[in-house]
Amino acid sequence: MNFEAVLAGLPDAVIAVDTELRIVFWNSAAEMLTERSARRAESRVLKDVFPGDASIVRRLAETLATGESRSEAEALIERPDRREVPVSLLTAPLFGKDGTVDGAVAVLRDLSRIRQLEAEVRRGETLASAGRMAVGLAHEIRNPLGAIRGAVQLLARELAGQPRLTEYTTVLTTEVDRVNRIIEMLLNLARPAPVRPVPLNLHQLLERVALLNEEGARDKRITIARRYDPSLPPILGDEDRLVQVFHNLVRNAMDAMSAGGTLTLATKVSLNPVFGKMDLGGAAGPRATGGGARTMVEAQVIDEGQGIPAAVRARIFDPFFTTKDRGLGLGLAICHQILEQHRGAIHVESEEGRGTMVTCFLPIAR
């Protein structure tokens, strides 16, 4: 039996070194995990591939020195672009015929999918808590708010001839309406409206969103460009809910482009063989209900804004997490929820200083 072929086909990354910590074996799973090819890795000293203080370097060195296995339930592997991937790590010695240690092997398992699922569970728990709170308090808050708004409107009529005082009534009305919007968004998360999917022309839907934002884009010196696939098939979706998604994404993109620029709406068909299984290292997502190869339609909103800081990328879909001064942190959580109801997904790629690309995966109408 060709044991090297067996190791090469394992789903876990396998890296072997000699007594000088020089890499002698690097399987295809290691190539995918580290984003380094075997051709570039083999024959190099391990410390030239990974930082000297990396767990894999330390554990393999200890195994070579002691002839004993080492393990870490969670360690980090650094990719060439400095992104870190959580892994489980196990090392074991390789003995020669004379019983001496001839080398060592490390087996690494990618934990990013597990961490993604844990994040989904935490997000679900947060949404459930927010939902219970929202449903319980909505009516209690709405009734006095309605009374306050009515009283402010009456007061505004009485003060109609005093512009200095009517400024205060305008502020009161605006803030009452804002609280009402917050309550509505919480209720949407708690009790999402049922999706009524029908075959839709995605380009017509995106044009509707572009028209809604045309004036705001002009004011911010933003040009809306289209890069549509002319052969795009109809999608299966709820038009009003998807307009809500893309309107939110376009508004976010425009907010990020304080210096103006081009906002691109793009579409294409793609067979995504790892649908629902991408890691969170450099992007947030995708968030999906299922895995496996599926032919989907991709709708992209691409901006030239300041980008999303790496430190917050993995949290952008968390309810109540926001980087905006007056943001609620609910917009992207609702987008995620709507796409999940469509059995789709949302994926975010961003680079600080160069912009952000949000990709929505949607099912094709059969």
PDB file of all heavy atoms in Angstrom, residues 151-171:
ATOM      1  N   ALA A 151     -49.780  64.358  21.883  1.00  0.00           N
ATOM      2  CA  ALA A 151     -49.665  65.569  22.688  1.00  0.00           C
ATOM      3  C   ALA A 151     -48.698  66.568  22.053  1.00  0.00           C
ATOM      4  O   ALA A 151     -48.935  67.780  22.051  1.00  0.00           O
ATOM      5  CB  ALA A 151     -49.202  65.210  24.100  1.00  0.00           C
ATOM      6  N   VAL A 152     -47.595  66.045  21.486  1.00  0.00           N
ATOM      7  CA  VAL A 152     -46.610  66.923  20.832  1.00  0.00           C
ATOM      8  C   VAL A 152     -47.233  67.593  19.611  1.00  0.00           C
ATOM      9  O   VAL A 152     -46.985  68.780  19.336  1.00  0.00           O
ATOM     10  CB  VAL A 152     -45.349  66.124  20.443  1.00  0.00           C
ATOM     11  CG1 VAL A 152     -44.423  66.967  19.567  1.00  0.00           C
ATOM     12  CG2 VAL A 152     -44.606  65.667  21.690  1.00  0.00           C
ATOM     13  N   GLN A 153     -48.043  66.871  18.852  1.00  0.00           N
ATOM     14  CA  GLN A 153     -48.694  67.451  17.671  1.00  0.00           C
ATOM     15  C   GLN A 153     -49.650  68.580  18.073  1.00  0.00           C
ATOM     16  O   GLN A 153     -49.698  69.625  17.417  1.00  0.00           O
ATOM     17  CB  GLN A 153     -49.445  66.363  16.910  1.00  0.00           C
ATOM     18  CG  GLN A 153     -48.523  65.417  16.142  1.00  0.00           C
ATOM     19  CD  GLN A 153     -49.282  64.288  15.485  1.00  0.00           C
ATOM     20  OE1 GLN A 153     -50.265  63.779  16.032  1.00  0.00           O
ATOM     21  NE2 GLN A 153     -48.826  63.866  14.313  1.00  0.00           N
ATOM     22  N   LEU A 154     -50.396  68.358  19.165  1.00  0.00           N
ATOM     23  CA  LEU A 154     -51.292  69.414  19.661  1.00  0.00           C
ATOM     24  C   LEU A 154     -50.491  70.633  20.113  1.00  0.00           C
ATOM     25  O   LEU A 154     -50.857  71.780  19.845  1.00  0.00           O
ATOM     26  CB  LEU A 154     -52.144  68.872  20.813  1.00  0.00           C
ATOM     27  CG  LEU A 154     -53.215  67.838  20.433  1.00  0.00           C
ATOM     28  CD1 LEU A 154     -53.852  67.260  21.698  1.00  0.00           C
ATOM     29  CD2 LEU A 154     -54.280  68.465  19.543  1.00  0.00           C
ATOM     30  N   LEU A 155     -49.380  70.350  20.804  1.00  0.00           N
ATOM     31  CA  LEU A 155     -48.524  71.439  21.281  1.00  0.00           C
ATOM     32  C   LEU A 155     -47.942  72.222  20.109  1.00  0.00           C
ATOM     33  O   LEU A 155     -47.834  73.455  20.156  1.00  0.00           O
ATOM     34  CB  LEU A 155     -47.411  70.863  22.158  1.00  0.00           C
ATOM     35  CG  LEU A 155     -46.517  71.850  22.905  1.00  0.00           C
ATOM     36  CD1 LEU A 155     -47.336  72.731  23.847  1.00  0.00           C
ATOM     37  CD2 LEU A 155     -45.433  71.111  23.678  1.00  0.00           C
ATOM     38  N   ALA A 156     -47.578  71.509  19.048  1.00  0.00           N
ATOM     39  CA  ALA A 156     -47.008  72.171  17.863  1.00  0.00           C
ATOM     40  C   ALA A 156     -48.013  73.132  17.230  1.00  0.00           C
ATOM     41  O   ALA A 156     -47.643  74.211  16.752  1.00  0.00           O
ATOM     42  CB  ALA A 156     -46.568  71.113  16.852  1.00  0.00           C
ATOM     43  N   ARG A 157     -49.284  72.759  17.244  1.00  0.00           N
ATOM     44  CA  ARG A 157     -50.314  73.648  16.702  1.00  0.00           C
ATOM     45  C   ARG A 157     -50.438  74.911  17.546  1.00  0.00           C
ATOM     46  O   ARG A 157     -50.582  76.021  17.030  1.00  0.00           O
ATOM     47  CB  ARG A 157     -51.664  72.928  16.661  1.00  0.00           C
ATOM     48  CG  ARG A 157     -51.749  71.837  15.616  1.00  0.00           C
ATOM     49  CD  ARG A 157     -53.104  71.141  15.688  1.00  0.00           C
ATOM     50  NE  ARG A 157     -53.112  69.897  14.936  1.00  0.00           N
ATOM     51  CZ  ARG A 157     -54.081  69.006  15.003  1.00  0.00           C
ATOM     52  NH1 ARG A 157     -55.134  69.234  15.791  1.00  0.00           N
ATOM     53  NH2 ARG A 157     -54.022  67.899  14.295  1.00  0.00           N
ATOM     54  N   GLU A 158     -50.399  74.753  18.865  1.00  0.00           N
ATOM     55  CA  GLU A 158     -50.512  75.897  19.770  1.00  0.00           C
ATOM     56  C   GLU A 158     -49.333  76.852  19.613  1.00  0.00           C
ATOM     57  O   GLU A 158     -49.459  78.055  19.790  1.00  0.00           O
ATOM     58  CB  GLU A 158     -50.582  75.410  21.217  1.00  0.00           C
ATOM     59  CG  GLU A 158     -51.837  74.612  21.560  1.00  0.00           C
ATOM     60  CD  GLU A 158     -53.090  75.477  21.502  1.00  0.00           C
ATOM     61  OE1 GLU A 158     -53.006  76.673  21.845  1.00  0.00           O
ATOM     62  OE2 GLU A 158     -54.149  74.949  21.100  1.00  0.00           O
ATOM     63  N   LEU A 159     -48.159  76.267  19.257  1.00  0.00           N
ATOM     64  CA  LEU A 159     -46.932  77.081  19.173  1.00  0.00           C
ATOM     65  C   LEU A 159     -46.586  77.436  17.725  1.00  0.00           C
ATOM     66  O   LEU A 159     -45.451  77.817  17.429  1.00  0.00           O
ATOM     67  CB  LEU A 159     -45.757  76.316  19.797  1.00  0.00           C
ATOM     68  CG  LEU A 159     -45.912  75.932  21.273  1.00  0.00           C
ATOM     69  CD1 LEU A 159     -44.740  75.046  21.714  1.00  0.00           C
ATOM     70  CD2 LEU A 159     -45.981  77.184  22.150  1.00  0.00           C
ATOM     71  N   ALA A 160     -47.544  77.326  16.844  1.00  0.00           N
ATOM     72  CA  ALA A 160     -47.268  77.522  15.410  1.00  0.00           C
ATOM     73  C   ALA A 160     -46.664  78.879  15.101  1.00  0.00           C
ATOM     74  O   ALA A 160     -45.869  79.027  14.178  1.00  0.00           O
ATOM     75  CB  ALA A 160     -48.553  77.329  14.609  1.00  0.00           C
ATOM     76  N   GLY A 161     -46.985  79.879  15.879  1.00  0.00           N
ATOM     77  CA  GLY A 161     -46.461  81.223  15.611  1.00  0.00           C
ATOM     78  C   GLY A 161     -45.139  81.505  16.296  1.00  0.00           C
ATOM     79  O   GLY A 161     -44.650  82.643  16.248  1.00  0.00           O
ATOM     80  N   GLN A 162     -44.542  80.526  16.953  1.00  0.00           N
ATOM     81  CA  GLN A 162     -43.287  80.748  17.681  1.00  0.00           C
ATOM     82  C   GLN A 162     -42.223  79.763  17.168  1.00  0.00           C
ATOM     83  O   GLN A 162     -42.022  78.689  17.743  1.00  0.00           O
ATOM     84  CB  GLN A 162     -43.497  80.548  19.178  1.00  0.00           C
ATOM     85  CG  GLN A 162     -44.600  81.448  19.753  1.00  0.00           C
ATOM     86  CD  GLN A 162     -44.804  81.215  21.231  1.00  0.00           C
ATOM     87  OE1 GLN A 162     -43.850  81.320  22.025  1.00  0.00           O
ATOM     88  NE2 GLN A 162     -46.036  80.895  21.619  1.00  0.00           N
ATOM     89  N   PRO A 163     -41.554  80.132  16.097  1.00  0.00           N
ATOM     90  CA  PRO A 163     -40.595  79.221  15.442  1.00  0.00           C
ATOM     91  C   PRO A 163     -39.536  78.651  16.383  1.00  0.00           C
ATOM     92  O   PRO A 163     -39.145  77.496  16.254  1.00  0.00           O
ATOM     93  CB  PRO A 163     -39.950  80.108  14.361  1.00  0.00           C
ATOM     94  CG  PRO A 163     -40.949  81.187  14.116  1.00  0.00           C
ATOM     95  CD  PRO A 163     -41.632  81.431  15.411  1.00  0.00           C
ATOM     96  N   ARG A 164     -39.080  79.475  17.344  1.00  0.00           N
ATOM     97  CA  ARG A 164     -38.010  78.996  18.241  1.00  0.00           C
ATOM     98  C   ARG A 164     -38.490  77.809  19.068  1.00  0.00           C
ATOM     99  O   ARG A 164     -37.746  76.863  19.331  1.00  0.00           O
ATOM    100  CB  ARG A 164     -37.558  80.130  19.164  1.00  0.00           C
ATOM    101  CG  ARG A 164     -36.301  79.780  19.980  1.00  0.00           C
ATOM    102  CD  ARG A 164     -35.851  80.977  20.784  1.00  0.00           C
ATOM    103  NE  ARG A 164     -36.849  81.344  21.786  1.00  0.00           N
ATOM    104  CZ  ARG A 164     -36.949  80.748  22.988  1.00  0.00           C
ATOM    105  NH1 ARG A 164     -36.128  79.771  23.315  1.00  0.00           N
ATOM    106  NH2 ARG A 164     -37.862  81.155  23.858  1.00  0.00           N
ATOM    107  N   LEU A 165     -39.766  77.833  19.488  1.00  0.00           N
ATOM    108  CA  LEU A 165     -40.298  76.753  20.303  1.00  0.00           C
ATOM    109  C   LEU A 165     -40.730  75.536  19.464  1.00  0.00           C
ATOM    110  O   LEU A 165     -40.642  74.395  19.920  1.00  0.00           O
ATOM    111  CB  LEU A 165     -41.491  77.256  21.129  1.00  0.00           C
ATOM    112  CG  LEU A 165     -41.157  78.323  22.190  1.00  0.00           C
ATOM    113  CD1 LEU A 165     -42.417  78.819  22.863  1.00  0.00           C
ATOM    114  CD2 LEU A 165     -40.196  77.744  23.240  1.00  0.00           C
ATOM    115  N   THR A 166     -41.172  75.793  18.233  1.00  0.00           N
ATOM    116  CA  THR A 166     -41.595  74.662  17.391  1.00  0.00           C
ATOM    117  C   THR A 166     -40.413  73.771  16.994  1.00  0.00           C
ATOM    118  O   THR A 166     -40.609  72.611  16.624  1.00  0.00           O
ATOM    119  CB  THR A 166     -42.305  75.158  16.120  1.00  0.00           C
ATOM    120  OG1 THR A 166     -41.467  76.101  15.432  1.00  0.00           O
ATOM    121  CG2 THR A 166     -43.633  75.801  16.451  1.00  0.00           C
ATOM    122  N   GLU A 167     -39.186  74.307  17.088  1.00  0.00           N
ATOM    123  CA  GLU A 167     -38.010  73.465  16.847  1.00  0.00           C
ATOM    124  C   GLU A 167     -37.987  72.292  17.821  1.00  0.00           C
ATOM    125  O   GLU A 167     -37.638  71.159  17.467  1.00  0.00           O
ATOM    126  CB  GLU A 167     -36.724  74.279  16.998  1.00  0.00           C
ATOM    127  CG  GLU A 167     -36.469  75.271  15.878  1.00  0.00           C
ATOM    128  CD  GLU A 167     -35.179  76.037  16.096  1.00  0.00           C
ATOM    129  OE1 GLU A 167     -34.373  75.610  16.950  1.00  0.00           O
ATOM    130  OE2 GLU A 167     -34.985  77.066  15.422  1.00  0.00           O
ATOM    131  N   TYR A 168     -38.391  72.569  19.076  1.00  0.00           N
ATOM    132  CA  TYR A 168     -38.382  71.507  20.087  1.00  0.00           C
ATOM    133  C   TYR A 168     -39.451  70.452  19.806  1.00  0.00           C
ATOM    134  O   TYR A 168     -39.235  69.259  19.997  1.00  0.00           O
ATOM    135  CB  TYR A 168     -38.583  72.107  21.480  1.00  0.00           C
ATOM    136  CG  TYR A 168     -37.494  73.068  21.886  1.00  0.00           C
ATOM    137  CD1 TYR A 168     -37.766  74.409  22.151  1.00  0.00           C
ATOM    138  CD2 TYR A 168     -36.170  72.644  21.994  1.00  0.00           C
ATOM    139  CE1 TYR A 168     -36.774  75.302  22.515  1.00  0.00           C
ATOM    140  CE2 TYR A 168     -35.167  73.534  22.355  1.00  0.00           C
ATOM    141  CZ  TYR A 168     -35.466  74.861  22.617  1.00  0.00           C
ATOM    142  OH  TYR A 168     -34.474  75.728  22.972  1.00  0.00           O
ATOM    143  N   THR A 169     -40.608  70.884  19.358  1.00  0.00           N
ATOM    144  CA  THR A 169     -41.669  69.907  19.063  1.00  0.00           C
ATOM    145  C   THR A 169     -41.287  69.037  17.858  1.00  0.00           C
ATOM    146  O   THR A 169     -41.614  67.848  17.811  1.00  0.00           O
ATOM    147  CB  THR A 169     -43.009  70.616  18.790  1.00  0.00           C
ATOM    148  OG1 THR A 169     -42.863  71.517  17.691  1.00  0.00           O
ATOM    149  CG2 THR A 169     -43.478  71.375  20.014  1.00  0.00           C
ATOM    150  N   THR A 170     -40.570  69.633  16.914  1.00  0.00           N
ATOM    151  CA  THR A 170     -40.098  68.858  15.754  1.00  0.00           C
ATOM    152  C   THR A 170     -39.114  67.782  16.198  1.00  0.00           C
ATOM    153  O   THR A 170     -39.177  66.626  15.742  1.00  0.00           O
ATOM    154  CB  THR A 170     -39.433  69.786  14.721  1.00  0.00           C
ATOM    155  OG1 THR A 170     -40.373  70.776  14.307  1.00  0.00           O
ATOM    156  CG2 THR A 170     -38.945  68.994  13.514  1.00  0.00           C
ATOM    157  N   VAL A 171     -38.193  68.144  17.095  1.00  0.00           N
ATOM    158  CA  VAL A 171     -37.222  67.174  17.620  1.00  0.00           C
ATOM    159  C   VAL A 171     -37.946  66.049  18.356  1.00  0.00           C
ATOM    160  O   VAL A 171     -37.633  64.863  18.183  1.00  0.00           O
ATOM    161  CB  VAL A 171     -36.205  67.865  18.557  1.00  0.00           C
ATOM    162  CG1 VAL A 171     -35.372  66.828  19.304  1.00  0.00           C
ATOM    163  CG2 VAL A 171     -35.304  68.796  17.762  1.00  0.00           C
TER     164      VAL A 171
END
